[in-house]
Amino acid sequence: MGRIVRQDKMKWIGLFLLTLLLIICMLASLMLGNTNFTLTDIYKTLTSSNSKDVAHIIIWQERFPRMVIAVVTGASLAVAGVISQLLTRNPLGSPSVLGINSGSIFVIVVCVVLFKVSDLHILVYFSLLGALLAAFLVYLLGSLGRSSTSAIKLILAGIAANAMFVSFTQIILLMNQKGMSDVLFWMAGTISGRTLDMILAVLPYLLVSLVVTCFLGRSMNIYASGESIAKGLGQNVFVMKVTLLILMVVLAGGSLAVIGNVGFVGLIIPHLAKAIVGNGYPWLTPYSILLGSIFLLIADLSTRLIHPPAEIPLGVITAFIGAPFFIYVAFKGGRARE
């Protein structure tokens, strides 16, 4: 794949410019909505302690948590997509391909509909448990047979696990239609109504996973060269594969636990980052972190501004952008193989 930036000096400049853009998007997320604020209003609110002021309530209790959640989950979903495409060696790879999304949603539906769990903070952990369950099942299925676990076996196992979890979820909802409204926002995906406590519950895991992935850049480059070459270079392929799988599960599952089924972020962002800096993972990961945060901030801002005062589910916005991109990548990949 071609890349725009080739020299390391320019890549550092690119990171700096993306950081500035991220800060602008964060300020826009605080300023814009049904009620607009100026930079002066933001500064006064952030430096004052008047909890009864309307601006203080809107910014601190609603928009600031949304901004933080969008930044963290956007970065996490983007890096989860980078890892997924590396594990599956497929440009269309994403956590949803490996059944992570459907596994997480399935456990949430079971908890809400069958066991009447309503505490969002508790559901965060059950969602992460569902992601771990899906990953374990996919790796188990991918390990069956005489040959070792391969990228194509992981993809097939992910498709099978995804179909199974989706089917079980639909059966539960059909048998308990009254509970459908309680899980609808999880299935559609949204940041609205989420609190800082929810992201704080998984924030340490997400931040550690992001940092570890950044430090694994060179090892990921070796793994990307092919398992046989990686083994020849002394890499423990099994440990590397399991490590990447765990990181992807934590990043994707932790994000889905907070914002629900928001797709296509992990598909779109890695391709945008590769178009800028190429396939080198030491640069690809930090670029994906910034681009993922920027993308989800803009998407969340769009949910508020397209049809105020009503809000469009975040998952709808990302799907609207991601579906054409998915078709483009699939078509481009098919043309490349001809």
Side-chain angles (χ1 to χ4, degrees), residues 232-284:
L233 293 174
Q235 185 177 79
N236 190 324
V237 173
F238 173 77
V239 173
M240 186 63 185
K241 191 181 301 182
V242 172
T243 301
L244 291 175
L245 189 62
I246 292 173
L247 289 171
M248 185 195 66
V249 167
V250 173
L251 291 170
S255 299
L256 290 170
V258 180
I259 64 176
N261 191 21
V262 175
F264 292 103
V265 179
L267 171 68
I268 297 173
I269 300 305
H271 286 279
L272 293 179
K274 288 177 183 178
I276 299 174
V277 294
N279 295 317
Y281 288 92
W283 288 105
L284 182 60

Side-chain angles (χ1 to χ4, degrees), residues 120-174:
L120 295 178
H121 303 90
I122 296 177
L123 287 174
V124 164
Y125 293 102
F126 279 109
S127 175
L128 188 57
L129 176 64
L132 290 170
L133 173 65
F136 175 77
L137 180 61
V138 168
Y139 193 82
L140 180 64
L141 292 174
S143 301
L144 296 178
R146 296 181 179 179
S147 60
S148 61
T149 306
S150 63
I152 187 65
K153 288 176 69 176
L154 282 177
I155 293 175
L156 294 175
I159 293 173
N162 182 71
M164 182 188 70
F165 284 125
V166 169
S167 299
F168 287 164
T169 301
Q170 291 175 345
I171 291 172
I172 293 173
L173 291 177
L174 286 174

